[in-house]
Amino acid sequence: QVQLVESGGGLVQAGDSLRLSCAASGRTFSSYFMGWFRQAPGKEREFVAAIKTVGSTTYYTDSVKGRFTISRDNAKNTVYLQMNNLKREDTAVYYCAADAPPYGSKIAGSSSYDYWGQGTQVTVSS
């Protein structure tokens, strides 16, 4: 069983930055694909970013490209989401997720992920 704990959320103004962290338990973190998803009030959970293992290949939803950066530190069992130039529409609960081997078919699909954190709230005011 893998436990994921997010941190770093908060209330910021538009244009500000935040860095979310997700600490994972277990000794096989380096083998997981890691993803960030978010869910705004009244909306479905949506993919934000993901990072693979080999070569740390990254993926982003179009609305955050150029503003968000996902990264991982396998020595610390931690994945990060650096969020710059935040906008009101980024307001949501952000969830960290892990996809353990065998990997799901779609890295941007929530159903591919086996483990989820409890979420951290990000609120962006104008």
Side-chain angles (χ1 to χ4, degrees):
Q1 188 73 10
V2 176
Q3 291 187 327
L4 303 174
V5 179
E6 303 99 334
S7 61
L11 172 63
V12 296
Q13 293 188 331
D16 285 350
S17 298
L18 276 177
R19 187 176 81 156
L20 305 183
S21 299
C22 172
S25 64
R27 295 178 290 178
T28 56
F29 174 80
S30 61
S31 69
Y32 304 151
F33 291 176
M34 299 299 297
W36 286 97
F37 290 76
R38 66 186 180 187
Q39 188 167 19
K43 294 187 177 181
E44 294 186 353
R45 188 172 300 188
E46 66 170 351
F47 170 76
V48 176
I51 186 167
K52 286 190 172 180
T53 55
V54 177
S56 294
T57 304
T58 57
Y59 303 82
Y60 299 93
T61 192
D62 286 345
S63 63
V64 308
K65 285 181 181 176
R67 300 189 297 123
F68 290 11
T69 302
I70 188 171
S71 61
R72 64 190 299 159
D73 185 338
N74 290 336
K76 295 183 178 180
N77 279 15
T78 302
V79 63
Y80 304 97
L81 186 67
Q82 177 67 43
M83 306 185 294
N84 297 330
N85 190 22
L86 283 160
K87 304 177 180 181
R88 283 192 65 184
E89 51 264 42
D90 295 319
T91 295
V93 177
Y94 283 70
Y95 297 91
C96 171
D99 180 8
Y103 304 117
S105 60
K106 295 182 179 180
I107 198 166
S110 59
S111 62
S112 292
Y113 292 81
D114 306 291
Y115 306 101
W116 292 83
Q118 292 300 307
T120 185
Q121 176 71 47
V122 173
T123 304
V124 184
S125 64
S126 58

